[in-house]
Structures are given as structure tokens and as C-alpha cells.
Amino acid sequence: MDAGSVDASGEVAADGGGEPLGGSVADEWAGSGGTAGGAGMGGAGGRAGSAGQPAACTLTAGVDCCPTDPDKQAPLSCGCGVPETDSDGDGVADCVDPAPRGWLRRLTVDRTQVAGALTDFPLLVRISDSHLSAFAADGGKDICFVAADRTSALDHEIESFDQATGSLVAWVRLPSLDPGADLQLYLSYGDGQSDRSKPGGVWSDHHFVWHLAQDPSAGAGAIKDAAGRADGTGQGGLASANSVSAVAGRGVRFDGMDDQITFSNDVTGNTPSTFQAWVNQSPQTTGLGSAVLSLGNQADDRARFLFSHDIAAGATKVGFYGNDVVGTALAKDTWSHLVWVWDGQNSRQYINGMLAAGPSAHTSANTAGTPGSIGNSTFNSPAYHFFMLGMLDEVRVSLSARSDAWIATEYNSQKPDSTFVKELAGPEAAP
């Protein structure tokens, strides 16, 4: 595997220079006696001793950390006679800190996996990195993303960060994405600044976005909608153990009996829409089938639903209640990216980025009603429940008809063995 590449599990193996992450700059900085990202850098193994500094040099040691500063006016001061500063709050004076404003790591998106020119595309960043573990602030609160110019902020959302391992799942809005050239952006961390995440900016072109990363037993509204409209509540037998490892971080396992996540729906009328999710469908022989997402009232054309399995049809099914279209069977016990696009006249179904069924004539939507469910139908008769048997991740609704290029690129960027982000370089000091 090339240095800086992301392996089949989505984890980064080495930095851009071919050394294990945490080596080179990180080792020189922390040393055998230092503490990476901690309160000092003393000890024989640190950088102390280079450029004329004393062997130990911290802000609290009463030792002049910058004796060679050409603008120094007095001991224990930096240039212009002001006290020595620590911009990133790591306990090390800026004048001897190799990255006083934090670190940057260049990410490169593979243009060959971009299916067409796209705007406001949510990029999944899914890495595990020891340098990030050592130098990001507690909880990853100072992790952010900037454009290729290394300064322009990009809207982002941190879905999860494990400080112990440096495992990060994040979403970044790319203002534009084009198959004509690799795109570069930077992961930034360790600058000591406060949280700068903007989930609303990332998902401004989406109506509902449920990552399903929260504990489904945590009470009312525990399942967060990243778009900010409809947090969900676990029902039935959903427990903490139903939170499982999935495609992008965590997902939820449903038992096919009474598990579902309910929310209040505000989608009405006949606007085009795109429903999508990652589905791991279990074999199902009892009941009616499995619903990924359903919203609206049980009445002709008043509901919209996406079923990952309809037992009678032996395939996926989409519709408006009383106006249904049968699709294609999903593979069982494996993750599949399932998408239903309705453009106002026709329905199309996509599996793993490819058109699998349609276009099929499909009109007369007039959605109404506040019921909404992930993992079941919203049909009020128990005789028509479609409790999901399997796992779900990244359930979303957009009030537009997504293009073939958008859907293919989403699949390429999110699939479990994705190499869409083909390089993690660095680390380098932020400007």
C-alpha cells in the first residue's frame, strides 16, 4: 500500500513521507522525555538544545525559551518585550513550538471516482491516525477542515472522534467537485481553538439526515437529525446494544418485531424527493417486510415509503400508499447503498451507485400528515406494519431528484472499502 493511502478498512497506514503516523515530526517534538500535546517538552529526547535553546524549556520553568530571538528586549520575553506566548495552549512557547498554530494534513480526493461535476457535496472523511490522537484537543474539539489555500474554512460536522485511537468520522461540504482534477483539502487540528463545526452548512441541501450514531435507548429525541428538523425517538425493544458498527461510524440494528425510530414529519405535497440509506437486510420470511423510511398518512397518495424488502414481491418497493413500484431484491447480510429517486413523474431505484430499476411511471403524490418512522411503515393499522429486520446507517431525505452522477459519487465516497480519499499527507505546521 502506498504511503499516505487509506486501507480497505478506511484507516490510514502511513504519512505522506512513508513513515508511520506519529513518527518524524511527532517523535522529534515529543521525544522520550516529552509529552505529545501535553504541558511541556523537557527531557533529553525533545527538541530542546536546538537553535541555542536550553535543555529544558517550558513556559512555567522560568527559563528563557527564546535566547536567539532577534527582537528580544529582556530575558523571558519574546520580541518587542512582550511575554512569551502559547497560541495553541499546549504549554509550549510559540518561539520553540514546531506548530504554534496547530497542524495540517493534506487530503486528496481521487478524481477518477467522481462521476460528474457536483456542488455542495458532503464528503465522508473516515481515518484513524496516531498523530491526530496525540495532538488534537480533548474530544477533537479543535478539529476542522480548510480548503486547498490552507486557510479558507469548510463547513464540517464531526460525527465521532476517539481520542485514544485517533479514529475520526467527519463530513465536509465541498463547494464543488469535478472529475477533471483531483481535489485537495486539509484536515486541521491542535490549534487550541473552540468548536467550529457547522452541520447546518454541510447539510443545507438536505431535508433530513440521520447518522444513527446515537444510543437509540437514550430517550426522546436522542436520534439526531443533522439537518436540524426532526430528531427521532427509539421505540419497541431498541437498547444500547442495538447501536452497532456500521458504514460511517455507528448504525442501528432492528429486530423485525417492534423496533423503530419515530419522528415528526413535515414533508407535504408533491415535491420531487430522494430517499436513501445504507441497508444490511437480513433474510426475512415472516411479517410483511422491512421499511427503511416512511412518512405521511395511510391514505391514497398521502404517504411516501422506501421498503428494502417486501416479502410478497421478493424485492424492494417504493410508493405513495396505493401507488407502488416494485424494484430489485437486495443482497442479504451485506451493506448495500439503496436510493429511491422520484422526479415528479417517474421513480428510479439505485443499488450501490447503479440504476437497478426504472424509470417507472409514478405520479399523484400528495403527501400529508406528521407520522414519520425509520425501520417501520407509518401505516396506522398493525396489519400493515413493515418492521425492519437488519441494520441501517445514514438515512436521508432530499427534496430534489438526485442525479446519476451524485448517487454514483456518494456510493464511491462512502462504501466500506472506499479509496475516494486516496491520500493523507503531512503533518505540517499550520501557517
Side-chain angles (χ1 to χ4, degrees):
M1 179 169 57
D2 293 336
S5 65
V6 181
D7 66 20
S9 66
E11 296 189 352
V12 176
D15 68 18
E19 300 178 4
L21 289 169
S24 184
V25 173
D27 290 340
E28 181 186 0
W29 171 239
S32 62
T35 302
M41 55 167 280
R47 291 176 60 92
S50 64
Q53 296 98 303
C57 190
T58 72
L59 288 176
T60 58
V63 177
D64 192 346
C65 288
C66 308
T68 59
D69 185 342
D71 296 319
K72 182 177 290 295
Q73 296 184 7
L76 303 181
S77 70
C78 287
C80 304
V82 298
E84 292 166 349
T85 56
D86 177 18
S87 298
D88 56 7
D90 64 355
V92 181
D94 287 352
C95 49
V96 292
D97 191 336
R101 286 166 293 280
W103 300 90
L104 294 178
R105 308 294 294 275
R106 188 180 71 247
L107 303 173
T108 303
V109 172
D110 183 0
R111 64 180 177 81
T112 66
Q113 300 187 51
V114 178
L118 304 171
T119 59
D120 295 330
F121 184 83
L123 172 69
L124 173 60
V125 175
R126 181 179 48 197
I127 62 174
S128 185
D129 177 68
S130 61
H131 193 272
L132 182 62
S133 170
F135 288 95
D138 289 347
K141 64 183 180 182
D142 63 358
I143 294 173
C144 62
F145 295 84
V146 294
D149 62 6
R150 306 201 303 168
T151 57
S152 299
L154 296 172
D155 292 340
H156 75 280
E157 179 192 13
I158 305 298
E159 182 173 332
S160 65
F161 176 65
D162 185 333
Q163 188 85 46
T165 64
S167 294
L168 172 69
V169 177
W171 300 90
V172 186
R173 183 180 67 84
L174 302 180
S176 62
L177 194 56
D178 194 282
D182 287 350
L183 181 141
Q184 294 183 342
L185 66 155
Y186 286 84
L187 167 64
S188 172
Y189 56 93
D191 63 7
Q193 295 191 39
S194 59
D195 182 8
R196 286 155 286 179
S197 61
K198 293 183 178 179
V202 178
W203 307 110
S204 59
D205 197 29
H206 294 69
H207 195 78
F208 298 134
V209 177
W210 297 282
H211 299 307
L212 303 185
Q214 299 83 21
D215 181 347
S217 70
I223 303 299
K224 299 303 180 183
D225 170 20
R229 291 186 175 87
D231 294 341
T233 300
Q235 306 285 354
L238 286 175
S240 297
N242 291 85
S243 178
V244 296
S245 179
V247 175
R250 309 295 292 179
V252 173
R253 182 190 298 276
F254 298 80
D255 67 3
M257 298 174 60
D258 59 1
D259 292 348
Q260 63 177 314
I261 296 167
T262 59
F263 61 93
S264 181
N265 167 61
D266 66 355
V267 175
T268 60
N270 59 4
T271 182
S273 59
T274 301
F275 285 29
Q276 64 185 86
W278 281 94
V279 183
N280 192 314
Q281 178 70 52
S282 297
Q284 190 175 24
T285 58
T286 61
L288 298 179
S290 290
V292 173
L293 180 64
S294 182
L295 51 85
N297 290 336
Q298 177 183 323
D300 284 353
D301 307 325
R302 295 300 180 107
R304 301 190 196 199
F305 62 82
L306 169 60
F307 295 164
S308 56
H309 182 55
D310 178 271
I311 288 179
T316 61
K317 182 182 281 189
V318 300
F320 307 120
Y321 194 88
N323 188 355
D324 308 339
V325 172
V326 174
T328 303
L330 282 183
K332 303 302 187 291
D333 293 329
T334 188
W335 285 105
S336 299
H337 192 230
L338 178 62
V339 183
W340 168 36
V341 176
W342 183 63
D343 63 12
Q345 298 294 325
N346 294 282
S347 281
R348 294 173 172 84
Q349 293 177 66
Y350 298 79
I351 298 175
N352 294 339
M354 301 293 293
L355 183 66
S360 302
H362 206 180
T363 58
S364 301
N366 187 25
T367 309
T370 59
S373 178
I374 300 168
N376 189 23
S377 66
T378 55
F379 310 152
N380 56 24
S381 169
Y384 292 101
H385 283 168
F386 282 73
F387 286 111
M388 162 64 63
L389 182 61
M391 295 179 283
L392 295 176
D393 194 10
E394 293 299 325
V395 179
R396 303 179 190 173
V397 174
S398 302
L399 297 185
S400 61
R402 296 296 189 191
S403 67
D404 291 358
W406 179 282
I407 295 166
T409 305
E410 276 195 317
Y411 172 70
N412 290 340
S413 65
Q414 297 175 24
K415 60 185 179 180
D417 58 349
S418 175
T419 56
F420 193 79
V421 177
K422 67 179 184 179
E423 179 188 36
L424 174 69
E428 61 182 274

